[in-house]
Amino acid sequence: MRLQVKGHHEHVSDSARAYAEKRLGKLDRRLHDLTLVELTLSREHNPSIANDHTADAVVHTKGPTIVAHESATTYEAAIDRIVEKLERQIERYRDKRTHEPRRNARQRTETPPTPVEEIEEEFASEQPDAAA
């Protein structure tokens, strides 16, 4: 997994960057090595907004693009919430890609082959009698 931590209109502190890398590292075991994860951290400068630290994550997978958005009072809390959201979404994505085709194949029941005796009886009944 490739991780990019960016700041929107401001510099991201080293402690917030390290925390994001540590927490998003949990997703590494569920994603392919070349999957790109972009995390954008931003802050609202309006004092009336309590949850002013915002984290936006975009996971570019082989199939759909997974997106999550969270706000909290600190970057660390927003990152924690966004990791929980991403884990659920990625697990669902993986289930659809791996488990669903297997479940569908197991549910499809093939009709057993017709015994040779029944085929011979049908063939004999369709043929006009040569002795008659």
Side-chain angles (χ1 to χ4, degrees):
M1 175 183 82
R2 297 177 299 153
L3 178 63
Q4 290 182 351
V5 180
K6 300 183 276 187
H8 185 47
H9 294 300
E10 66 182 44
H11 177 73
V12 178
S13 67
D14 291 336
S15 63
R17 183 179 305 274
Y19 188 78
E21 290 174 357
K22 176 185 167 195
R23 293 289 291 155
L24 288 169
K26 288 176 60 176
L27 302 176
D28 193 23
R29 60 184 164 195
R30 290 186 168 95
L31 295 172
H32 189 267
D33 292 339
L34 299 177
T35 303
L36 176 64
V37 178
E38 295 178 359
L39 179 68
T40 305
L41 301 174
S42 61
R43 184 165 182 229
E44 293 290 331
H45 295 288
N46 187 346
S48 65
I49 298 175
N51 295 335
D52 59 345
H53 293 78
T54 304
D56 297 313
V58 179
V59 181
H60 300 281
T61 61
K62 188 175 182 180
T65 301
I66 299 171
V67 179
H69 174 82
E70 272 299 326
S71 296
T73 55
T74 63
Y75 284 132
E76 288 80 10
I79 291 169
D80 287 340
R81 289 182 187 175
I82 208 161
V83 167
E84 291 172 7
K85 271 189 176 181
L86 287 175
E87 283 179 335
R88 280 194 306 269
Q89 290 181 15
I90 290 170
E91 195 61 37
R92 185 169 180 206
Y93 160 72
R94 285 191 57 208
D95 282 349
K96 284 184 178 182
R97 282 188 55 96
T98 58
H99 298 308
E100 287 299 322
R102 293 178 188 166
R103 287 184 192 136
N104 292 339
R106 193 177 327 140
Q107 290 175 356
R108 274 187 259 133
T109 57
E110 296 182 14
T111 57
T114 309
V116 175
E117 295 81 24
E118 290 181 17
I119 296 173
E120 290 175 351
E121 289 174 8
E122 288 179 22
F123 182 73
S125 66
E126 292 177 2
Q127 295 294 324
D129 290 329

